[in-house]
């Protein structure tokens, strides 16, 4: 569940609980008020009947049209004065028989179906007085109030949810904008900035400012690192070239061979560092052309030496930079020969080129994080500076080629190059 739905769901639940709580409180207060009114009216009617009986010795008429009361007196000895005894609630009947007074909501007599408010009292001499008042008007008022509470509660919940969703949508939209720019920055565009997002003082604006600040710092540090790498490699090139020339003049022998190998390794490392710095800085422009992929790959494989097999499943014309593609494939094949095991197979299938060895495969960190300079992965993959795959990835990205690294289920590392078909390559200024 995304942030927008979480906020909307939270607002809906809180609004519903609040509306339900307020509705219950209002309902209980209204019911208590109506019960109190009915009880007061019934008690007053009972007092009137008792006063009339005490003054005249007889009851007022059984049906009082104004008060809508019904009254009964039961004298001692079991004789009944007036109408038959009303169906009083047992608890109220016991209370009145003990000479006390009380009132209660209960079902009414046969002549008045529904709920009524009973009031009853006894005089302590076996005489009982009881009246009832119709409670239907009070129930109708409570029902109307409950319906009003329900409708108003639903409307308030709907309005609150819509308002909360609107506010959450604005926050979610700003966060999505920030996330999109952050992904752009993570993709390598360190010039991208989120900006103020329209709000000068809130948490989202602070987050955007923090990401922009982080991007600026990263850009500065990366530029310093690229400049340092390029400067060091450039400064090392001249003395290393002289050192290589001097090593060639040494007398033949095992020590001379070791010195020459180390110097050549340093020269290659320096050239690789310069190439990495140029790729990082985007200083080179690809020279694109439409070429047959099979013939191009065949020429590259023939120069790779023994142990490399070429399989042409299907040929196709692609748009690419032949020089850069040569560099990419050469690095992938060299990496397979150095860290994998023979045979190394290069397969051309349409616009896809696959390089597979039969070694231990790529280590998990290379598959999850991608090639990292000066990290060669697992020990069984051999030794090196970790620049071959980095350079291959940089050149592939420059010419619009997708490089996918994976391990074959049967064993061995697989590097797959997916080239754009003819007419679909990147523009020359990319």
């Amino acid at each position: 569940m995304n942030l927008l739905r979480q906020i909307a769901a939270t607002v809906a639940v809180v609004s519903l609980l609040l509306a339900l709580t307020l509705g219950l409180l209002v309902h209980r207060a209204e019911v208590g008020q109506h019960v109190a009114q009915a009880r007061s009216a019934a008690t007053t009617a009972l007092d009137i009947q008792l006063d009339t009986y005490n003054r005249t010795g007889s009851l007022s008429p059984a049906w009082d049209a104004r008060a809508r009361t019904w009254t009964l007196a039961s004298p001692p000895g079991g004789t009944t004065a007036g109408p038959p005894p009303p169906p009083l609630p047992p608890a109220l009947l016991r209370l009145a028989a003990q000479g006390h007074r009380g009132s209660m909501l209960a079902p009414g007599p046969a002549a008045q179906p529904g709920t009524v408010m009973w009031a009853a009292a006894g005089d302590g001499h076996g005489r009982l007085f009881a009246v009832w008042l119709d409670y239907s008007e009070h129930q109708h008022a409570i029902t109307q109030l409950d319906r009003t509470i329900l409708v108003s509660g639903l409307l308030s919940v709907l309005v609150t949810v819509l308002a909360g969703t609107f506010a959450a949508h604005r926050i979610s939209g700003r966060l999505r904008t920030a996330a999109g720019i952050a992904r752009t920055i993570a993709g390598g565009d360190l010039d991208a900035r989120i900006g103020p997002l329209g709000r000068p003082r809130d948490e989202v604006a602070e987050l955007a400012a923090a990401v922009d600040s982080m991007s600026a710092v990263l850009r500065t540090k990366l530029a310093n690192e690229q400049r340092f790498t390029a400067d060091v490699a450039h400064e090392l090139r001249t003395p290393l070239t002289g050192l290589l020339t001097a090593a060639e003049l040494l007398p033949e022998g095992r020590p001379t061979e070791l010195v020459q190998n180390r110097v050549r390794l340093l020269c290659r490392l320096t050239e690789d560092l310069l190439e990495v710095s140029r790729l990082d800085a985007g200083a080179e422009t690809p020279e694109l052309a439409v070429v047959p992929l099979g013939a191009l790959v065949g020429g590259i494989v023939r120069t790779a030496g023994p142990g490399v097999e070429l399989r042409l499943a299907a040929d196709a014309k692609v748009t690419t930079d032949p020089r850069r593609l040569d560099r990419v494939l050469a690095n992938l094949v060299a990496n397979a020969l150095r860290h994998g095991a023979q045979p190394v197979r290069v397969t051309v299938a349409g616009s896809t080129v696959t390089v597979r060895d039969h070694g231990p495969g790529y280590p998990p960190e290379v598959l999850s994080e991608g090639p990292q300079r000066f990290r060669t992965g697992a020990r069984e993959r051999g030794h090196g500076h970790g620049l071959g795959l980095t350079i291959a990835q940089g050149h592939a990205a420059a010419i619009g080629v997708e490089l996918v690294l994976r391990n074959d289920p049967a064993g061995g590392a697989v590097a797959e190059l997916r080239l754009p078909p003819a007419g679909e390559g990147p523009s020359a200024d990319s």
Side-chain angles (χ1 to χ4, degrees):
M1 184 180 293
N2 57 24
L3 180 62
L4 176 60
R5 293 180 180 177
Q6 290 180 16
I7 294 178
T10 302
V11 171
V13 171
V14 172
S15 301
L16 186 60
L17 291 177
L18 182 60
L20 182 61
T21 302
L22 291 177
L24 289 175
L25 291 176
V26 173
H27 172 80
R28 292 187 61 181
E30 188 69 15
V31 169
Q33 181 179 358
H34 282 280
V35 170
Q37 290 176 356
R39 178 173 284 114
S40 176
T43 303
T44 301
L46 179 63
D47 289 339
I48 293 174
Q49 295 298 334
L50 291 175
D51 182 67
T52 301
Y53 187 84
N54 291 330
R55 285 187 294 103
T56 64
S58 63
L59 299 173
S60 60
W63 291 95
D64 187 338
R66 182 184 61 81
R68 300 186 66 187
T69 63
W70 189 74
T71 309
L72 171 72
S74 297
T79 61
T80 301
L88 285 174
L92 183 60
L93 185 59
R94 288 194 299 269
L95 183 68
Q98 296 172 0
H100 300 293
R101 171 183 303 210
S103 59
M104 180 182 294
L105 277 175
Q112 179 64 35
T115 303
V116 299
M117 176 62 74
W118 290 97
D123 60 359
H125 302 287
R127 188 175 287 109
L128 181 142
F129 302 90
V131 300
W132 59 265
L133 289 179
D134 186 12
Y135 195 71
S136 60
E137 292 185 1
H138 296 280
Q139 284 185 324
H140 179 71
I142 294 173
T143 302
Q144 288 294 108
L145 177 65
D146 290 344
R147 188 178 295 111
T148 303
I149 291 175
L150 178 62
V151 173
S152 60
L154 292 177
L155 288 177
S156 64
V157 169
L158 178 61
V159 171
T160 305
V161 170
L162 290 177
T165 303
F166 176 74
H169 179 73
R170 296 191 63 184
I171 297 174
S172 177
R174 296 165 66 202
L175 289 176
R176 281 197 177 95
T177 300
I181 299 299
R183 283 191 291 268
T184 302
I185 295 172
D189 185 7
L190 297 181
D191 291 326
R193 295 293 183 270
I194 300 175
L197 291 179
R199 293 289 186 90
R201 294 178 180 273
D202 66 2
E203 290 78 2
V204 179
E206 291 181 6
L207 174 64
V211 173
D212 287 346
S213 176
M214 178 187 67
S215 176
V217 172
L218 287 177
R219 191 184 192 290
T220 302
K221 290 185 176 181
L222 182 60
N224 292 337
E225 177 187 345
Q226 292 172 353
R227 186 161 46 251
F228 174 77
T229 302
D231 291 344
V232 169
H234 181 74
E235 293 298 327
L236 286 176
R237 174 187 279 180
T238 300
L240 283 176
T241 302
L243 185 59
L244 180 60
T245 303
E248 296 292 339
L249 301 178
L250 293 175
E252 295 183 1
R254 182 60 181 167
T256 299
E257 183 180 348
L258 292 175
V259 171
Q260 290 175 347
N261 288 338
R262 293 298 93 185
V263 173
R264 290 191 187 97
L265 180 61
L266 284 174
C267 289
R268 284 197 300 270
L269 176 59
T270 302
E271 293 299 329
D272 287 346
L273 289 174
L274 283 172
E275 190 168 5
V276 168
S277 66
R278 288 194 298 268
L279 289 172
D280 288 342
E284 296 186 359
T285 301
E287 298 177 359
L288 302 177
V290 177
V291 294
L293 185 59
L296 179 61
V297 174
I300 297 172
V301 170
R302 281 192 294 271
T303 62
V308 183
E309 303 175 1
L310 173 63
R311 292 185 178 181
L312 184 59
D315 199 2
K317 288 188 176 182
V318 295
T319 302
T320 188
D321 184 334
R323 180 182 64 84
R324 285 179 181 259
L325 183 61
D326 184 306
R327 184 73 166 125
V328 172
L329 277 175
N331 278 19
L332 293 177
V333 171
N335 184 79
L337 290 172
R338 181 180 300 116
H339 302 297
Q342 297 184 14
V344 175
R345 294 195 181 99
V346 180
T347 304
V348 179
S351 59
T352 301
V353 181
T354 303
V355 179
R356 178 177 182 243
D357 62 46
H358 291 76
Y362 294 115
E365 57 268 22
V366 172
L367 296 179
S368 61
E369 302 174 10
Q372 303 291 326
R373 62 193 68 175
F374 299 108
R375 286 175 56 184
T376 58
R379 182 175 302 173
E380 62 269 18
R381 290 279 302 170
H383 301 281
H385 301 104
L387 296 178
L389 287 179
T390 304
I391 293 174
Q393 186 181 50
H395 281 296
I399 58 179
V401 175
E402 183 181 2
L403 174 59
V404 179
L405 303 178
R406 56 185 173 85
N407 289 331
D408 193 276
V414 179
E416 188 176 281
L417 290 171
R418 301 170 184 172
L419 288 82
E424 297 184 8
S427 59
D429 57 351
S430 61

